[in-house]
């Protein structure tokens, strides 16, 4: 069974090939052009996907030593994401599937982030709790099987990645600021604390936190114009520590409420080194078993789309060819 997977939901064009459920190639082309705009510009992203999609797919096939006519099925991201960006990858996958007369499999990007845990060992046993933290989403999910997901909580405003990117922008860091905050924060100490929204249950809120950082910086900058420059490492360490402590507190609550001790983290923010080390500490203190995918499978990639697609293929769950991408794809509607 040879599966080609395509990802184009935001600003990374990805293609991967799986042979009998094993990943054999994984190619990602990231769109660095958005740094110049301080954020992802949807129209620019669509055009970049259009340029990259064929070379990226060809490279993934080449590395897997496979030709289009060898393919058994094609999996592509249907949503959530940017409509124009999704249309490029999903439309490409659909057209290739139609021309090769093979099945198309539609993949939910958020479920794929979670199923990235099954690309390589160690794989969590079902059921487990997954904290999915990316640039667009923050979700706590109970995962009962590769096709049974229960959304326990999500952000009511900004996503965790956005909290990193928007507060990083206030520090004049380039977009996306998450990796810069991580790198700089490692050299600082978390001595500043900002207001953390108290949200009931397992939902999250980060917009108040961002505003609190904004007011704090305005005040300190009015006293000393170089405040940020002089204290950049400590500010990054503090921002990072504030976000990570909120995420892990909710993850712990979800574990305790469900009685599950297997905890997984997925999505771009799970690349964060402070999150990784704090999660490890929390696991050791509470007897949790934790799972974090390899860095390359945390940020957007097509390997996770292929993994999710392979599970759907095993279930015979293929997509009609008259379906459009869904930028607001939700668990209940996918
Ligand atoms: O999952 P992802 O690659 O794309 C989306 O689906 O959104 O996540 C991108 C997000 C960005 O907000 C980026 O700043 C954040 O992940 N990110 C990080 C780190 N690496 C990526 N945030 C904190 N620390 C990192 N090391
Ligand atoms: Zn993502």
């Amino acid at each position: 069974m040879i599966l080609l997977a395509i990802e184009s939901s935001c600003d990374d064009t990805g293609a991967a090939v799986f042979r009998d459920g094993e990943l054999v190639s994984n190619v990602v082309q990231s769109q660095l052009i958005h740094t110049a705009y301080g954020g992802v510009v949807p129209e620019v992203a669509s055009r970049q996907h259009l340029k990259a999609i064929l070379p990226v797919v060809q490279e993934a096939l080449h590395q897997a030593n496979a030709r289009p006519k060898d393919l058994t099925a094609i999996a592509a991201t249907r949503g959530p994401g940017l409509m124009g960006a999704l249309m490029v990858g999903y439309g490409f996958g659909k057209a290739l599937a139609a021309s090769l007369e093979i099945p198309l499999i539609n993949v939910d990007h958020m479920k794929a982030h979670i199923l990235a845990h099954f690309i390589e060992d160690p794989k969590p046993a079902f059921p487990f709790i997954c904290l999915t933290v990316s640039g667009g989403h923050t979700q706590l999910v109970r995962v009962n099987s590769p096709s049974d997901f229960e959304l326990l909580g999500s952000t009511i405003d900004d996503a965790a990645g956005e909290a990193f990117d928007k507060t990083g922008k206030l520090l004049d860091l380039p977009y996306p600021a998450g990796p810069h905050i991580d790198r700089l924060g490692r050299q600082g100490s978390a001595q500043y604390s900002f207001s953390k929204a108290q949200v009931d249950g397992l939902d999250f809120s980060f917009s108040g936190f961002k505003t609190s950082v904004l007011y704090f910086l305005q005040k300190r900058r009015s006293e000393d114009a170089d405040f940020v420059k002089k204290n950049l490492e400590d500010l990054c360490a503090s921002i990072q520590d504030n976000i990570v402590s909120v995420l892990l507190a909710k993850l712990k609550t979800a574990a305790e409420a469900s009685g599950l001790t297997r905890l997984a983290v997925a999505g771009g923010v799970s690349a964060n080194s402070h999150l990784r080390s704090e999660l490890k500490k929390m696991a050791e203190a509470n007897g949790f078993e934790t799972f974090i995918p390899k860095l390359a499978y945390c940020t957007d990639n097509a390997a996770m789309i292929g993994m999710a697609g392979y599970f759907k293929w095993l279930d015979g769950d293929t997509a009609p060819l008259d379906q459009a991408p869904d930028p607001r794809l939700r668990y209940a509607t996918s």
Side-chain angles (χ1 to χ4, degrees):
M1 193 277 166
I2 305 184
L3 176 73
L4 170 69
I6 297 169
E7 155 64 25
S8 73
S9 64
C10 190
D11 56 347
D12 297 290
T13 317
V17 175
F18 278 71
R19 247 193 205 97
D20 297 324
E22 294 295 323
L23 179 68
V24 278
S25 69
N26 181 32
V27 178
V28 182
Q29 191 172 309
S30 296
Q31 302 177 359
L32 305 174
I33 189 168
H34 301 287
T35 308
Y37 303 100
V40 176
V41 183
E43 177 68 19
V44 174
S46 312
R47 288 166 191 242
Q48 294 290 315
H49 283 303
L50 218 37
K51 284 189 192 170
I53 190 79
L54 188 57
V56 166
V57 166
Q58 282 174 329
E59 181 60 22
L61 288 172
H62 173 74
Q63 287 183 16
N65 203 12
R67 292 157 300 178
K69 68 181 179 60
D70 301 329
L71 296 174
T72 315
I74 294 173
T77 308
R78 186 173 170 234
L82 303 170
M83 187 48 155
L86 289 164
M87 278 172 68
V88 176
Y90 201 64
F92 185 94
K94 198 193 263 197
L96 191 56
S99 66
L100 293 168
E101 298 183 12
I102 58 174
L104 174 75
I105 299 162
N106 63 26
V107 172
D108 178 326
H109 181 89
M110 297 313 294
K111 290 179 181 172
H113 266 304
I114 296 174
L115 296 172
H117 285 95
F118 296 87
I119 299 170
E120 282 179 10
D121 288 331
K123 300 168 185 168
F126 296 103
F128 63 93
I129 303 278
C130 188
L131 170 71
T132 316
V133 272
S134 72
H137 299 268
T138 304
Q139 296 179 335
L140 269 169
V141 180
R142 181 189 166 109
V143 189
N144 296 317
S145 79
S147 59
D148 183 1
F149 300 79
E150 280 172 58
L151 187 62
L152 305 174
S154 57
T155 181
I156 56 171
D157 41 56
D158 289 352
E162 264 177 303
F164 273 100
D165 297 338
K166 289 182 177 173
T167 49
K169 202 170 185 175
L170 299 175
L171 302 176
D172 300 321
L173 294 174
Y175 176 87
H180 296 284
I181 293 181
D182 188 351
R183 178 177 47 83
L184 293 161
R186 261 178 263 155
Q187 288 136 41
S189 82
Q191 55 172 293
Y192 305 110
S193 69
F194 307 104
S195 89
K196 292 176 202 158
Q198 298 302 320
V199 185
D200 288 344
L202 294 172
D203 285 336
F204 302 85
S205 165
F206 288 107
S207 72
F209 165 73
K210 179 190 61 193
T211 312
S212 145
V213 175
L214 172 71
Y215 289 156
F216 172 84
L217 292 177
Q218 275 174 351
K219 184 169 179 295
R220 293 301 183 100
R221 270 176 163 147
S222 72
E223 294 156 7
D224 176 1
D226 289 334
F227 175 75
V228 168
K229 213 188 278 175
K230 288 179 190 158
N231 299 282
L232 189 58
E233 283 92 357
D234 289 350
L235 285 165
C236 288
S238 307
I239 286 171
Q240 180 159 272
D241 190 60
N242 275 251
I243 298 171
V244 166
S245 66
V246 170
L247 293 174
L248 293 187
K250 293 271 175 171
L251 179 60
K252 186 162 178 263
T253 307
E256 285 163 356
S258 64
L260 297 180
T261 54
R262 281 181 297 276
L263 308 183
V265 183
V269 179
S270 55
N272 184 266
S273 57
H274 188 60
L275 175 72
R276 288 175 174 242
S277 61
E278 290 300 301
L279 178 66
K280 208 170 153 210
K281 281 187 214 158
M282 184 176 98
E284 278 162 12
N286 295 277
F288 297 139
E289 202 184 345
T290 57
F291 300 86
I292 307 186
K294 219 162 82 173
L295 278 183
Y297 308 142
C298 285
T299 48
D300 285 351
N301 65 89
M304 67 183 198
I305 305 303
M307 197 67 247
Y310 184 68
F311 281 122
K312 285 189 103 173
W313 188 79
L314 291 177
D315 283 346
D317 188 355
T318 58
L321 286 183
D322 61 354
Q323 204 172 44
D326 183 351
R328 300 188 170 274
L329 193 65
R330 293 278 181 273
Y331 277 66
T333 60
S334 61

